[in-house]
Amino acid sequence: MTSILAGGNAAATVRTRVRIPLAFGDGYTVTAEAVTFDGLADGREHLALALGDPGPTPLVRLHSECLTGDVFGSARCDCGPQLREAVELIAEAGGYLLYLRQEGRDIGLYNKLDAYALQDQGLDTYQANTALGLPEDARDYTAAAQMLEAMGIGTIELLTNNPDKPRQLRALGLDVRVTVPTGVHATTHNLRYLRAKAQHTGHTIRLIG
């Protein structure tokens, strides 16, 4: 397969494939094939989960790691519910969940918690990052494009509300045929966070009130 990556980034290769049975707190279970890689541009241990029966245009989600939401069920964001939803949707359609080690929009866990403290003082999620001298969103999806290329995937449907994800992937040479929105997982704790994403960066999130 000819490299689809723009900018001269080296190709990554598949390192390991192993089947893992997944079980969620609500009782949903599914078996995924976990795929690891060598040669990713940022040197991190990103993971692809193959779910269902992926076809020539698989459904793909780029899910950035969120320890507080994914593991501990924090209600301050929508990451945990999005992860759970994505696994089931992708298993039904056939595709891949790319679990990217980009905690806190790639500012890290401690900085994310520092930003939470500033949000408690009245800043929104983007203002808090800026107040810490950090980018509003530092995520780069070059490694994600490398992962897809290593698995022989050049055309996808993308499960996302974030317009920056298809924009970056297309710039890297991926054919993103369509974007599929995730659900709106609003709570009293994360409503301000979701509103900031919709208003500030154009996430396709429809909020009432």
Side-chain angles (χ1 to χ4, degrees):
M1 180 179 179
T2 302
S3 177
I4 60 176
L5 287 168
N9 294 288
T13 57
V14 170
R15 172 191 176 106
T16 305
R17 294 179 182 266
V18 60
R19 292 179 68 79
I20 300 177
L22 307 180
F24 291 83
D26 60 0
Y28 177 73
T29 61
V30 67
T31 297
E33 182 182 58
V35 186
T36 64
F37 303 87
D38 285 320
L40 296 178
D42 59 11
R44 299 181 186 178
E45 294 184 333
H46 305 300
L47 182 70
L49 295 179
L51 296 155
D53 184 17
T57 306
L59 182 62
V60 172
R61 173 157 178 81
L62 313 184
H63 186 90
S64 296
E65 179 181 50
C66 178
L67 179 70
T68 51
D70 297 342
V71 176
F72 297 116
S74 168
R76 291 191 66 140
C77 64
D78 58 345
C79 302
Q82 281 191 329
L83 177 63
R84 165 65 181 84
E85 173 194 46
V87 168
E88 185 168 3
L89 289 175
I90 295 170
E92 291 174 354
Y96 301 88
L97 186 140
L98 306 190
Y99 196 81
L100 305 174
R101 313 301 297 275
Q102 301 174 328
E103 184 78 47
R105 297 195 197 95
D106 209 18
I107 64 173
L109 178 61
Y110 279 18
N111 282 327
K112 183 177 81 170
L113 295 176
D114 289 343
Y116 278 180
L118 291 175
Q119 290 170 44
D120 289 343
Q121 298 174 28
L123 301 184
D124 70 27
T125 180
Y126 300 101
Q127 293 167 340
N129 281 18
T130 301
L132 292 170
L134 300 167
E136 290 183 348
D137 191 335
R139 289 175 294 181
D140 179 284
Y141 299 108
T142 300
Q146 287 180 299
M147 293 161 73
L148 292 169
E149 181 183 42
M151 294 186 293
I153 301 159
T155 302
I156 65 171
E157 296 183 354
L158 189 63
L159 180 62
T160 187
N161 295 326
N162 183 351
D164 188 46
K165 291 179 179 179
R167 186 183 304 123
Q168 284 201 38
L169 290 181
R170 286 174 175 137
L172 289 161
L174 266 293
D175 180 8
V176 181
R177 289 289 174 88
V178 66
T179 57
V180 179
T182 71
V184 178
H185 305 286
T187 70
T188 56
H189 299 285
N190 70 17
L191 188 58
R192 187 163 172 262
Y193 164 81
L194 295 179
R195 186 171 289 116
K197 291 205 297 184
Q199 295 176 350
H200 192 78
T201 51
H203 282 57
T204 53
I205 303 172
R206 294 185 178 180
L207 297 171
I208 298 175

